[in-house]
Amino acid sequence: MTKIIFMGTPDFSVPVMQKVLAEGYNIIAVVTQPDRPVGRKRIMTPPPVKVEAEKHGIPVYQPEKIRNPEELQPILDLEPDLIITAAFGQILPKKLLEAPTFGCINVHASLLPELRGGAPIHYAIIQGKKKTGITIMYMAEKLDAGDILTQVEVEIDHNDTVGSLHDKLSEAGSNLLSETLPRILNKELKSIPQDDALATFAANIKREQERINWNKSAKEIYNHIRGMNPWPVAYTTFDGSVIKIWESKQLDKSSGANPGTIIEVDNEGLTVATGDNGAIKIIALQPSGKKRMDAGQYLRGAGAHIQPGHCLGESK
């Protein structure tokens, strides 16, 4: 039976691994990131893939840096026939890429060569794309640059968030891998090199990218907010305090006010002017130190002092 090592870390990877197991493939080990401290109390938390692997009694390896020889060697000693990765989070060294008989394949959440990198789902929404997809490819030492085996498109709805699109893509990745694996093992597939000239990139989101720039258009800000939901969550500031913005509506109206100016407050939320003389309505937010709530609820309580004419954020 083909000996498979599965490498993945976050929730996205779990349904992919579950599908491989459900179809009877032999996963001899799982490689994932080390446990990390999570939340305000910094509780050491295992990656979702580790939790799932332990349910099935599969040995788990958690290298801090898989390129370190002492952490790599135990994985090489397993002599896998195939390595499957899905959002593992580290670039594999050449020695590991060349070890399996059937190579190393990756389930990536974009239509490569578009959106190479660690945050393709976020950028697909932030950039206002109408579709994205899944690519299964051979891995290379260069980031997400390996030859393509199979792809499938996934439509992006106007109301999709990172959370909803994540779930669509995880399911699509599981199904595409199910179709692709037998063809790899039977040597029925011919891979296609990527065109590097068409490559775009989706680097991991940095803190400064989370902040809303009210000088942008209403459409761009709307996409930015849903492209940060439910993690890491877009934010703005008011009166020196951070307010996370979870959900908004793009409005078909002219604001006639400076970007970031609150132009209307009602029971549903607050309407804010944008840089294209448009407006969005904030309908779910999270004040500093509080839980997520409806914007209307906030405005009827602690946020009652917020009035039309006040400004959010800082112009950049």
Side-chain angles (χ1 to χ4, degrees):
M1 184 176 285
T2 304
K3 296 190 297 181
I4 296 173
I5 291 178
F6 185 87
M7 306 178 72
T9 298
D11 289 324
F12 176 86
S13 315
V14 174
V16 180
M17 184 175 73
Q18 289 173 331
K19 190 78 165 183
V20 175
L21 288 169
E23 297 194 347
Y25 291 99
N26 180 30
I27 297 181
I28 61 169
V30 160
V31 182
T32 188
Q33 300 277 40
D35 296 5
R36 304 290 189 199
V38 173
R40 291 185 179 181
K41 296 184 178 179
R42 310 302 287 165
I43 297 171
M44 290 300 291
T45 305
V49 164
K50 177 182 179 180
V51 175
E52 185 66 22
E54 290 178 338
K55 290 179 185 177
H56 298 274
I58 301 171
V60 177
Y61 297 79
Q62 294 179 274
E64 188 70 46
K65 291 185 178 179
I66 200 168
R67 289 180 172 272
N68 288 344
E70 64 273 16
E71 295 190 278
L72 174 61
Q73 192 58 49
I75 299 169
L76 291 172
D77 290 344
L78 296 172
E79 298 182 345
D81 298 311
L82 175 69
I83 292 176
I84 300 171
T85 72
F88 170 53
Q90 298 185 42
I91 296 178
L92 306 192
K94 185 177 181 181
K95 198 169 184 180
L96 185 56
L97 293 174
E98 294 178 344
T101 305
F102 294 98
C104 299
I105 63 171
N106 183 37
V107 181
H108 183 75
S110 80
L111 296 173
L112 292 171
E114 283 191 346
L115 301 180
R116 296 177 180 177
I121 303 176
H122 294 78
Y123 281 85
I125 293 180
I126 291 168
Q127 294 176 4
K129 291 185 179 295
K130 303 296 183 185
K131 66 178 181 180
T132 183
I134 292 289
T135 300
I136 295 179
M137 63 176 186
Y138 282 121
M139 297 192 72
E141 283 191 280
K142 189 177 177 183
L143 179 67
D144 297 327
D147 293 355
I148 293 170
L149 288 160
T150 54
Q151 289 185 314
V152 64
E153 291 184 358
V154 173
E155 291 187 5
I156 302 176
D157 185 81
H158 181 68
N159 296 317
D160 268 327
T161 64
V162 168
S164 62
L165 185 57
H166 167 281
D167 293 347
K168 289 182 186 179
L169 287 167
S170 185
E171 181 180 3
S174 303
N175 292 335
L176 185 61
L177 182 62
S178 174
E179 298 168 9
T180 305
L181 262 181
R183 299 173 68 192
I184 292 173
L185 299 178
N186 292 328
K187 298 182 178 180
E188 297 172 357
L189 279 175
K190 183 177 180 180
S191 60
I192 301 170
Q194 293 187 45
D195 185 348
D196 287 345
L198 300 177
T200 60
F201 295 90
N204 289 331
I205 302 294
K206 297 179 180 178
R207 174 63 175 169
E208 57 265 28
Q209 293 174 276
E210 299 168 22
R211 185 173 192 140
I212 296 170
N213 181 350
W214 295 105
N215 288 317
K216 292 188 175 182
S217 69
K219 181 178 181 180
E220 288 174 312
I221 294 170
Y222 172 75
N223 290 340
H224 177 88
I225 291 169
R226 63 194 186 102
M228 298 282 173
N229 176 358
W231 69 91
V233 188
Y235 77 93
T236 190
T237 55
F238 178 73
D239 199 21
S241 182
V242 169
I243 301 177
K244 292 184 177 181
I245 307 300
W246 281 83
E247 192 175 346
S248 68
K249 289 182 180 178
Q250 184 180 345
L251 303 179
D252 184 19
K253 66 185 297 182
S254 298
S255 66
N258 291 330
T261 303
I262 297 168
I263 57 177
E264 186 178 337
V265 174
D266 59 29
N267 289 332
E268 189 180 19
L270 56 155
T271 301
V272 186
T274 57
D276 59 344
N277 196 37
I280 64 163
K281 174 166 279 191
I282 296 171
I283 57 176
L285 52 74
Q286 183 176 355
S288 181
K290 304 291 185 180
K291 294 182 179 181
R292 171 180 171 167
M293 63 183 73
D294 292 340
Q297 175 188 354
Y298 171 68
L299 293 168
R300 290 189 294 272
H305 62 291
I306 297 178
Q307 298 295 326
H310 289 164
C311 289
L312 300 178
E314 299 171 0
S315 297
K316 286 191 175 182

